[in-house]
Amino acid sequence: MHLFHYQNARLHCEATDLQTLAEKHGTPLYVYSKGTITSHFQRLDEALAPLNHLICYAVKANSNLAVLSTIAKLGGGFDIVSGGELFRVIKAGGDPAKCTFAGVGKTRAEIEYALQQGIYCFNAESEAELRYINLVAGELGKKAPVAVRVNPNVDAKTHAKITTGKSENKFGIDFDQILDVYDRVARECPNLVIKGLQMHIGSQLTNVDPFVEAVRKVVPLVEQIKAEHRIEFFSIGGGIGINYRQSLDSGPATWWEENPEAHPLTLKTYAEAIVPQLQPLGLRILCEPGRFMVGNAGVLLTQVLYEKRGSAKTFKIVDAGMNDLIRPTLYEGWHQIVPLKQPASAALEKVDVVGPICESGDFLAQNRDLPPVAGGDYLAVLSAGAYGFTMASNYNTRPMPAEILVEGSTARVVRGRQTLEDVLKGETP
Ligand SMILES: *Cc1c(COP(=O)(O)O)cnc(C)c1O
């Protein structure tokens, strides 16, 4: 679900005309729909309503303060992977007591900061980390709430770079070792309080089966840990996939439906498959969606600079590059690209949409059927709200794009475009 649609042949985000925004604020420009984020949160919240649950939004998907503040006001918690993300959550008005701290390499400074702020739980990924948290907590005279991330060795059937629940991935502790780890920690780490168990098998899952397989495999383990260590929560992680091939529900043109075999995982299928298995546990269930919450809530606006017709290909050279949106080249991510002004004819041409960066991997789309667009025209790269701006960089000394949050007909700049002075800050010749 998303709130992007053509109205009078111009692409709108909610009631805001995107070309007007692009002309006013320049491109590349990220635009987010607050209504879409809100609706995603509320729909997931409803789907999990039969469970005592907490949605811990995965901050790394989109960490803009305005996005975090929106989710905090809806009552959401946060899954963080660094001290920096905790700092953001607090700045945005989020509650540390609703934060879980994931990641394989937490540093002393991060552990101390999280303990001082009173986070809900550290989700630890190795026994060495548990022992280190125990040590740091002892030095601060605190008890650290901990859970262990279990690696259930389940194939999430997603892109290799976003699969996390197989034994060969660096994440979590092997399923078979978990009980021994809990026993040792309970005996030998007096400054730890065992609070739960966590898993996260991967990202952009478009089929419910891996979730079901993982839950089925891990639930008996959770029951055993609950009996022995009186834990209070089980976190099922994030990973709910989104549909990158959405209809903009207007007009006859359906040329963006390039790949109809993509079947998104619906919330209904997800909830119906896992809620009945989780309910009998009688525990608090945590869910850590990132992409689901914000992916389809954001677009990246870009302007066509030049066209180049080569012997093998036609290139549309645009002003957004892989430094602004790295998903196409890093994950082979497919993003729908549409003109802000809806084309009058259904004519299409096969083009590569490429950025200005000096890398052959700098493309937003390859061999894509697009309506004819010329220099000066604006395009929207859809479903860019997750792992878009948060993965942007200053490569090629390009300032990071501005970010805008739309609510109805109101558009607010929630991060100004970087200046070159910003980019060079801290450097000395
Ligand atoms: C990245 C991450 C998530 C969110 O994944 P999505 O696919 O964006 O939902 C959740 N939990 C953990 C531990 C993560 O690392």
Side-chain angles (χ1 to χ4, degrees):
M1 181 275 179
H2 61 80
L3 295 172
F4 295 88
H5 61 280
Y6 284 111
Q7 194 176 313
N8 305 326
R10 292 165 73 96
L11 191 64
H12 282 63
C13 170
E14 304 192 14
T16 299
D17 178 59
L18 288 173
Q19 174 125 358
T20 309
L21 283 188
E23 285 164 359
K24 179 167 177 201
H25 300 282
T27 49
L29 183 69
Y30 274 98
V31 181
Y32 310 126
S33 154
K34 186 173 178 179
T36 306
I37 299 171
T38 303
S39 132
H40 288 167
F41 184 95
Q42 288 169 340
R43 283 167 59 220
L44 181 60
D45 210 28
E46 278 162 30
L48 300 177
L51 303 167
N52 168 12
H53 70 278
L54 177 65
I55 296 174
C56 292
Y57 166 67
V59 173
K60 71 179 188 287
N62 186 325
S63 60
N64 185 285
L65 293 179
V67 171
L68 302 183
S69 158
T70 301
I71 290 167
K73 285 183 185 135
L74 290 164
F78 298 91
D79 185 61
I80 56 171
V81 293
S82 71
E85 287 190 350
L86 178 56
F87 184 70
R88 279 185 176 277
V89 166
I90 293 168
K91 287 276 183 211
D95 182 359
K98 287 184 183 173
C99 285
T100 50
F101 193 161
V104 298
K106 302 175 190 75
T107 64
R108 171 181 283 268
E110 290 176 320
I111 295 166
E112 286 178 353
Y113 177 51
L115 280 170
Q116 278 150 357
Q117 297 300 323
I119 63 160
Y120 179 57
C121 198
F122 291 94
N123 291 339
E125 307 220 15
S126 63
E127 188 167 340
E129 182 194 333
L130 284 162
R131 291 181 185 278
Y132 194 60
I133 296 172
N134 177 62
L135 178 88
V136 175
E139 287 172 13
L140 293 185
K142 291 191 181 285
K143 300 276 181 221
V146 294
V148 171
R149 174 167 178 174
V150 56
N151 184 324
N153 193 24
V154 166
D155 187 352
K157 299 196 173 62
T158 181
H159 192 270
K161 285 190 176 140
I162 47 177
T163 292
T164 57
K166 290 281 285 172
S167 300
E168 57 266 37
N169 301 133
K170 70 176 177 182
F171 298 101
I173 296 180
D174 283 347
F175 184 87
D176 303 333
Q177 299 177 13
I178 294 284
L179 285 174
D180 288 343
V181 169
Y182 275 89
D183 286 345
R184 278 198 295 275
V185 163
R187 269 199 319 272
E188 299 167 21
C189 297
N191 307 313
L192 300 184
V193 183
I194 298 173
K195 290 267 248 189
L197 184 76
Q198 192 263 358
M199 68 175 184
H200 172 68
I201 58 173
S203 194
Q204 185 53 16
L205 275 72
T206 50
N207 188 299
V208 80
D209 297 342
F211 285 117
V212 173
E213 190 186 342
V215 166
R216 196 172 288 149
K217 186 164 178 188
V218 174
V219 158
L221 178 67
V222 177
E223 280 167 339
Q224 207 169 341
I225 298 167
K226 184 188 173 197
E228 290 169 19
H229 300 284
R230 280 174 290 148
I231 53 171
E232 63 180 55
F233 80 85
F234 173 38
S235 173
I236 56 173
I240 304 169
I242 63 167
N243 189 358
Y244 279 93
R245 296 161 168 88
Q246 295 239 19
S247 155
L248 298 177
D249 27 68
S250 92
T254 52
W255 38 263
W256 52 78
E257 282 165 354
E258 200 168 84
N259 218 330
E261 94 279 328
H263 275 290
L265 175 73
T266 68
L267 270 190
K268 190 164 175 285
T269 350
Y270 177 74
E272 281 175 2
I274 61 165
V275 166
Q277 298 194 62
L278 296 169
Q279 221 163 4
L281 283 174
L283 292 175
R284 186 180 205 193
I285 302 298
L286 270 50
C287 182
E288 307 163 357
R291 190 188 312 265
F292 167 79
M293 205 76 84
V294 290
N296 284 328
V299 296
L300 173 62
L301 305 186
T302 184
Q303 189 172 32
V304 180
L305 298 172
Y306 308 108
E307 180 187 85
K308 179 158 75 173
R309 290 187 185 271
S311 53
K313 286 194 162 188
T314 295
F315 297 98
K316 301 284 179 182
I317 301 164
V318 301
D319 67 0
M322 63 185 278
N323 74 301
D324 304 302
L325 181 65
I326 205 173
R327 293 195 67 263
T329 193
L330 183 62
Y331 303 120
E332 300 168 80
W334 189 98
H335 286 267
Q336 210 167 297
I337 299 180
V338 301
L340 293 191
K341 285 190 178 156
Q342 199 169 25
S345 92
L348 296 174
E349 59 174 334
K350 205 172 276 303
V351 300
D352 278 19
V353 181
V354 301
I357 304 272
C358 300
E359 296 280 341
S360 296
D362 179 31
F363 56 83
L364 297 174
Q366 291 179 305
N367 303 317
R368 182 69 59 86
D369 288 322
L370 277 197
V373 284
D377 288 348
Y378 289 99
L379 298 172
V381 183
L382 304 186
S383 308
Y387 307 105
F389 186 90
T390 49
M391 298 182 99
S393 76
N394 288 125
Y395 188 41
N396 282 201
T397 307
R398 285 165 53 83
M400 305 250 246
E403 293 173 286
I404 290 197
L405 185 72
V406 164
E407 187 175 6
S409 56
T410 311
R412 193 159 63 86
V413 178
V414 292
R415 180 179 164 121
R417 185 176 302 282
Q418 272 189 329
T419 64
L420 285 174
E421 293 296 336
D422 295 335
V423 178
L424 268 53
K425 185 158 180 267
E427 281 186 44
T428 39

